Amino acid sequence: MTELALRLAAVHQEIEAAASRAKRDPAEVTLIAVSKRKPAADVVSAYEAGARHFGENYVQELVDKAPQVGPRPELVWHYIGHLQRNKANALLAVEGLGLVHGVDGSKLLRALDKRTTSPLGVLLQVNLAGEASKSGCTPEALGELVAEARACEHLELRGLMTMPPPVDDPEDVRPFFRQLRELRERHDAGPELSMGMSSDFGVAIEEGATIVRVGTAIFGARA
Ligand SMILES: *Cc1c(COP(=O)(O)O)cnc(C)c1O
């Protein structure tokens, strides 16, 4: 096995362990391999090792990388970064685009709804700690945004996404993950909870994550 395949296998093992701790079926958890700032060749290696979902943060990087990887059976791209409205067309043209994770405002919802004709799955991003450096709507604004997403003709509200503040101990992010799950229940915001990264995806799964976004633990540190 290649080093990358070994790391991917270790991540899958931890997903299974976390699911078992929470008495959940590991098949309920989708792993997104976050390939930002990694070459197309790494995506291909991860695909060959069994990864099917890939996450990118920058529209231009995804637009360049997707054709290099090529269309492949079951391969799905997730856009997990902050999306500027003027990049929506470029993003929507990417072959194999699955969910758009970082939707956080009504203008962006409307821009996506206007520009897409086939149903597009979106996740609403919530900024739980009110960090100025991060996008996402406030928990207070979520109810209205959920209603607006539901009213969009071509968008399908699939759930919520969050990126908690960086902490030393993954246990410290547990309350944020729990809060996102409660928000989803309160607002009936769709089936998915996209939360958990390399340092804390086990905790996220214990708290109900259905999608984890893991970069470093699969591809190694980014330059
Ligand atoms: C980079 C990134 C990740 C992956 O982070 P790692 O710590 O490398 O696992 C997950 N989600 C988002 C939104 C990111 O930008």
Side-chain angles (χ1 to χ4, degrees):
M1 273 213 252
T2 63
E3 206 180 314
L4 195 153
L6 286 169
R7 285 195 296 249
L8 182 63
V11 168
H12 275 297
Q13 254 171 27
E14 172 56 16
I15 289 174
E16 278 174 31
S20 139
R21 289 197 295 275
K23 305 196 166 38
R24 298 182 56 201
D25 178 356
E28 289 170 11
V29 182
T30 298
L31 171 64
I32 297 184
V34 176
S35 48
K36 66 179 178 213
R37 305 219 295 271
K38 294 290 177 182
D42 286 10
V43 174
V44 171
S45 304
Y47 180 89
E48 282 167 355
R52 290 296 178 264
H53 294 261
F54 294 90
E56 289 284 338
N57 285 55
Y58 307 99
V59 172
Q60 193 54 51
E61 186 177 344
L62 175 55
V63 164
D64 293 341
K65 204 179 288 181
Q68 290 171 31
V69 175
R72 288 167 190 259
E74 294 171 18
L75 187 149
V76 180
W77 292 105
H78 293 250
Y79 188 72
I80 63 172
H82 178 64
L83 180 61
Q84 290 166 306
R85 273 175 282 149
N86 61 2
K87 304 269 173 66
N89 276 334
L91 177 64
L92 292 169
V94 170
E95 194 171 343
L97 180 70
L99 294 178
V100 178
H101 289 231
V103 179
D104 63 354
S106 37
K107 284 181 179 165
L108 182 53
L109 273 174
R110 282 200 293 272
L112 286 169
D113 193 35
K114 199 167 73 184
R115 288 174 173 83
T116 185
T117 45
S118 52
L120 176 72
V122 297
L123 301 179
L124 300 178
Q125 182 172 359
V126 190
N127 188 342
L128 294 171
E131 290 169 283
S133 62
K134 291 203 178 119
S135 8
C137 72
T138 63
E140 293 73 30
L142 182 62
E144 204 177 313
L145 204 55
V146 165
E148 287 179 24
R150 286 221 194 83
C152 289
E153 196 182 341
H154 302 112
L155 304 186
E156 190 187 352
L157 177 60
R158 296 287 299 157
L160 303 180
M161 179 266 207
T162 199
M163 219 173 143
V167 293
D168 291 329
D169 181 352
E171 275 303 318
D172 294 341
V173 294
R174 190 182 291 279
F176 293 107
F177 293 150
R178 197 166 285 171
Q179 199 188 342
L180 195 73
R181 188 184 63 202
E182 288 164 2
L183 284 170
R184 180 189 62 175
E185 281 154 23
R186 188 180 319 151
H187 297 290
D188 192 17
E192 309 289 356
L193 281 177
S194 169
M195 56 189 197
M197 319 202 308
S198 290
S199 56
D200 54 22
F201 67 90
V203 177
I205 290 168
E206 288 171 22
E207 293 302 330
T210 63
I211 298 175
V212 292
R213 311 177 309 264
V214 179
T216 312
I218 296 172
F219 293 107
R222 288 177 290 273

